[in-house]
Amino acid sequence: MVNYPLFPPQNEDVVGFARTWWHLRQSGAGNGVLFDSADPNGMKVTRASATAVNVAAGHYANKGIWKAYAGASPAIESIPAASAGYHRYDSICVKLSDNTIVRVAGTEAVPDDADDFLENFTPLPADLNSTDYIELSILCIDENGIRSTDNGTYSVGGVADVRPPFVAGLDDSTLKISADGKLEVQDLYPLRSTLTTRGDLYQMGSASIERLAKGAENTIVAAGADQWEAKTLATLLDTILTTRGDLLYRPDGTSARLAKGAANTILKMGASDPAWSTVSSLLDSVLGSTEGMVAKRGAAAWLGEVRTSYRYVLFLPQSFGYPATNPAELIEWVGTNTTRQEARFDD
């Protein structure tokens, strides 16, 4: 488990214990520092100079929502010194209403104990009195600025580390058993922080979980040799369709290539799969191999049928001569372009 700083520890004065209750109230509101087991120094404040402090990169909870802080050196500067013979105890905080690092100044006074400021009743630390602040540290500031020497057991270089830890609910995905049999919390935020672009994905790399950068528009996620890759549909089809004119179809099992057919062939459907065929082959399936067969449309399908045998009769021109006696009445029909005569024979 992470050994985060405890404040106040044993033997510290009542002022420090009052601060602890304030931190507990913050935790109940969902506010606090998220400690990474790989880097317990997240959001830690350190002295940069007599007038400035650094704040390390890290993560914190703002009403239960994880926030990332990139770190800054310095994060706060131009911190004024106290009057001669006086102390002032300023707080370095995350201001949750705008997610900024701020300094909340205390009121200076002559200290009860000039060497161990955490034991003092006078002066008091800054009065935060609001859950808008996550207090990261308390600075001991004297007439020379932020003290460079350590003060007591829990203050390094004039900076008391008072980062309040935030403990959220746990589930199976955030727990693991360590090599020595301890139950450890896995901070997943560093993993989440690798997703730098909308649409990024996670996948298992050669040794750890890695970021799969989002693909270009209209790409899809496809399995490569040993990991997922973003590829276009055209790229994937190119691995199957190798020749101009090839088609993609679904046989029994998986998608497959139907190689292009010969010139002037057409695509026909077999019992289950498509295949290339010639027109003559398709006609043979209807007409068979008998010479003289013709195609005839039946009630439900085309059928082959033997053509009818015809007899030929020859009519000579004189067969149509007009009789000289008892001829039929001739009626003249006048049309738009021609005039003809029609013979009306008796019944």
Side-chain angles (χ1 to χ4, degrees):
M1 301 295 287
V2 176
N3 293 319
Y4 49 79
L6 299 176
F7 177 81
Q10 295 180 16
N11 301 322
E12 293 297 352
D13 223 326
V14 67
V15 173
F17 282 108
R19 216 66 171 188
T20 296
W21 288 113
W22 182 81
H23 288 333
L24 289 175
R25 186 179 69 169
Q26 277 288 63
S27 180
N31 305 322
V33 174
L34 298 169
F35 285 91
D36 178 4
S37 59
D39 180 16
N41 293 319
M43 307 294 296
K44 186 174 183 179
V45 179
T46 55
R47 182 183 186 276
S49 68
T51 60
V53 292
N54 302 329
V55 179
H59 306 95
Y60 62 95
N62 184 341
K63 298 179 178 62
I65 305 301
W66 290 18
K67 300 286 185 179
Y69 176 67
S73 300
I76 299 289
E77 53 187 339
S78 301
I79 299 174
S83 302
Y86 284 70
H87 276 193
R88 190 183 71 248
Y89 303 145
D90 295 352
S91 294
I92 302 300
C93 305
V94 178
K95 188 177 180 182
L96 299 176
S97 56
D98 58 8
N99 293 297
T100 58
I101 302 296
V102 298
R103 177 179 69 94
V104 182
T107 301
E108 63 180 36
V110 177
D112 298 324
D113 185 342
D115 295 326
D116 192 350
F117 78 94
L118 290 178
E119 296 288 352
N120 290 343
F121 285 101
T122 305
L124 293 175
D127 186 10
L128 301 178
N129 195 29
S130 171
T131 54
D132 191 33
Y133 298 103
I134 297 176
E135 190 175 39
L136 302 177
S137 69
I138 299 175
L139 308 182
C140 178
I141 300 173
D142 60 18
E143 60 192 60
N144 297 313
I146 303 171
R147 283 196 167 186
S148 60
T149 57
D150 297 343
N151 304 117
T153 307
Y154 297 96
S155 172
V156 178
V159 180
D161 185 3
V162 297
R163 292 171 295 160
F166 175 69
V167 179
L170 304 177
D171 57 30
D172 291 343
S173 65
T174 61
L175 300 176
K176 81 167 187 178
I177 303 297
S178 64
D180 57 359
K182 295 180 180 179
L183 187 64
E184 294 185 348
V185 177
Q186 297 304 291
D187 184 358
L188 297 182
Y189 197 91
L191 185 63
R192 289 176 52 194
S193 65
T194 63
L195 297 185
T196 58
T197 307
R198 180 177 179 178
D200 287 351
L201 299 174
Y202 284 138
Q203 69 170 340
M204 187 64 191
S206 58
S208 62
I209 302 235
E210 298 176 350
R211 166 180 171 257
L212 174 61
K214 76 163 191 173
E217 188 174 1
N218 298 322
T219 55
I220 60 178
V221 177
D226 56 7
Q227 62 184 10
W228 294 98
E229 301 172 355
K231 292 189 175 183
T232 63
L233 183 59
T235 300
L236 294 176
L237 291 178
D238 284 345
T239 63
I240 302 174
L241 306 179
T242 59
T243 307
R244 180 176 180 177
D246 288 350
L247 297 177
L248 184 69
Y249 79 106
R250 173 75 180 187
D252 184 21
T254 185
S255 299
R257 165 181 173 258
L258 176 63
K260 73 169 188 174
N264 300 318
T265 55
I266 59 177
L267 194 63
K268 73 167 186 176
M269 191 64 205
S272 299
D273 298 330
W276 296 104
S277 181
T278 62
V279 175
S280 60
S281 297
L282 294 177
L283 291 176
D284 286 344
S285 65
V286 175
L287 303 178
S289 58
T290 302
E291 185 178 0
M293 291 287 285
V294 296
K296 176 184 177 181
R297 175 65 184 179
W302 286 90
L303 305 172
E305 185 179 88
V306 178
R307 66 183 181 181
T308 304
S309 298
Y310 295 94
R311 290 181 298 171
Y312 296 93
V313 179
L314 179 63
F315 290 92
L316 299 177
Q318 57 267 34
S319 301
F320 297 94
Y322 195 73
T325 60
N326 194 25
E329 180 183 5
L330 294 177
I331 300 298
E332 186 177 80
W333 290 90
V334 179
T336 302
N337 298 314
T338 61
T339 299
R340 71 177 188 277
Q341 288 185 331
E342 182 179 290
R344 292 190 171 182
F345 294 95
D346 294 337
D347 293 340

